[in-house]
């Protein structure tokens, strides 16, 4: 049986051999949720970029741009890091360059994986099906917050581990901890996530509605996957 592990923050990635694994990168609030929403609304490809300058350079080459610093849209970008921005942004058939504080950095750090996919509650079941089909040792990489763990990504990791429990062997206590946390929170996810430090940051940015949206399970069946430098929508 293949294994499933959880890396609770990209700062711990050196403890896992990501090159030998399928990586699922998650930043529930809000980067991976925004990416999934953009693809669900027709985005053609997305270049994740670690730094603002890289995004602006791609914008000059014709890409649309999206992302945040301190949660706010970066000056000169077309979109912020809200699912509502990209669903109303007519991104159909377009290329998007995106940079966020933790989400795109986590992708950058995990990109040597055998395959890299993007997960969030929004695509939970479709993603679980894809991971099952691939049937490789799998590592869930939580974006966390500036090197620290966060609860919302850990809860998502627990949800995915729960879905894959019969097909993969859980390896390491972080997978077990994530699953236990998810099991005690799943019936009141919004109330639990509302208590997190990032929820409090988002409230200050009036992005509470984003949070509610990002916690909706299985809204979309699209699974973004890294193909060379770009994320593309997984063909079904
Ligand atoms: O850290 C990130 O990558 C962002 O998702 C943070 S925020 O929700 O846009 O503030």
């Amino acid at each position: 049986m293949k294994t499933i592990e959880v890396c609770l923050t990209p700062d711990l990635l050196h403890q896992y051999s990501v090159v030998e694994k399928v990586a699922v990168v998650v930043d529930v609030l809000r980067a991976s949720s925004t990416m999934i929403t953009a693809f669900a609304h027709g985005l053609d490809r997305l270049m994740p970029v670690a730094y603002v300058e890289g995004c602006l350079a791609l914008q000059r080459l014709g890409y649309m741009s999206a992302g945040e610093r301190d949660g706010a849209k970066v000056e000169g970008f077309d979109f912020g890091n809200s699912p509502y921005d990209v669903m109303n942004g007519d991104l159909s058939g377009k290329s998007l360059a995106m940079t966020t504080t933790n989400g795109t950095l986590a992708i950058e750090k995990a990109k040597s994986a055998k395959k890299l996919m993007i997960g969030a509650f929004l695509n939970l079941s479709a993603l679980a099906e894809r991971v099952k089909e691939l049937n490789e040792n799998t590592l869930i990489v939580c974006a966390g917050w500036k090197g620290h763990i966060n609860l919302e990504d850990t809860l998502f990791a627990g949800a995915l581990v729960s879905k894959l429990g019969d097909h993969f062997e859980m390896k390491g206590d972080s997978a077990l901890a994530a699953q236990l946390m998810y099991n005690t929170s799943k019936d009141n996810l919004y109330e639990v996530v509302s208590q997190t430090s990032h929820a409090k940051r988002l409230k200050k940015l009036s992005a509470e509605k984003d949070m509610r949206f990002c916690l909706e399970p299985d809204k979309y069946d699209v699974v973004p996957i890294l193909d060379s430098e770009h994320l593309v929508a997984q063909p079904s």
Side-chain angles (χ1 to χ4, degrees):
M1 210 182 226
K2 301 292 183 185
T3 59
I4 184 137
E5 293 172 282
V6 176
C7 175
L8 292 171
T9 152
D11 280 21
L12 294 176
L13 207 52
H14 61 277
Q15 297 181 352
Y16 303 84
S17 329
V18 71
V19 281
E20 294 162 15
K21 291 168 188 153
V22 165
V24 173
V25 176
V26 53
D27 182 6
V28 170
L29 301 175
R30 299 167 286 174
S32 59
S33 301
T34 299
M35 290 174 183
I36 292 160
T37 304
F39 280 109
H41 287 80
L43 179 68
D44 183 42
R45 59 183 191 160
L46 187 155
M47 175 88 89
V49 185
Y51 301 103
V52 168
E53 295 69 30
C55 229
L56 290 170
L58 286 165
Q59 197 181 29
R60 289 192 286 276
L61 294 174
Y63 283 68
M64 306 291 281
S65 56
E68 55 68 41
R69 284 298 178 267
D70 297 323
K73 180 180 154 187
V74 177
E75 206 185 315
F77 279 19
D78 298 298
F79 307 105
N81 183 31
S82 164
Y84 287 98
D85 282 4
V86 296
M87 76 174 74
N88 295 320
D90 191 17
L91 278 165
S92 198
K94 305 248 171 73
S95 300
L96 182 69
M98 185 166 172
T99 184
T100 69
T101 310
N102 303 285
T104 56
L105 205 55
I107 294 171
E108 179 64 31
K109 289 187 174 176
K111 73 179 186 194
S112 60
K114 264 185 170 174
K115 253 190 208 316
L116 186 151
M117 295 186 287
I118 302 297
F121 285 104
L122 292 173
N123 71 350
L124 176 61
S125 293
L127 173 69
E129 283 312 307
R130 193 65 196 118
V131 173
K132 269 190 239 168
E133 279 162 26
L134 288 171
N135 196 29
E136 297 273 3
N137 291 332
T138 300
L139 177 64
I140 305 170
V141 181
C142 299
W145 181 259
K146 297 186 178 176
H148 297 268
I149 74 163
N150 72 25
L151 189 59
E152 63 276 14
D153 294 344
T154 306
L155 289 170
F156 170 80
L160 187 56
V161 167
S162 296
K163 282 221 173 259
L164 296 172
D166 295 341
H167 304 266
F168 288 79
E169 179 196 336
M170 237 197 299
K171 188 173 166 193
D173 284 0
S174 49
L176 177 63
Q179 191 184 31
L180 290 172
M181 277 187 220
Y182 175 68
N183 284 340
T184 54
S185 309
K186 63 184 176 195
D187 295 331
N188 53 345
L189 211 48
Y190 179 80
E191 287 69 25
V192 173
V193 173
S194 292
Q195 298 169 50
T196 64
S197 49
H198 198 50
K200 287 175 189 154
R201 271 179 228 115
L202 290 178
K203 270 177 203 154
K204 283 191 196 136
L205 294 164
S206 308
E208 218 172 328
K209 138 172 146 166
D210 285 16
M211 190 174 100
R212 218 173 257 286
F213 182 84
C214 293
L215 295 177
E216 277 185 49
D218 297 334
K219 191 167 176 62
Y220 301 124
D221 60 8
V222 66
V223 180
I225 185 163
L226 194 63
D227 180 11
S228 183
E229 295 287 289
H230 288 95
L231 288 165
V232 293
Q234 176 72 55
S236 48

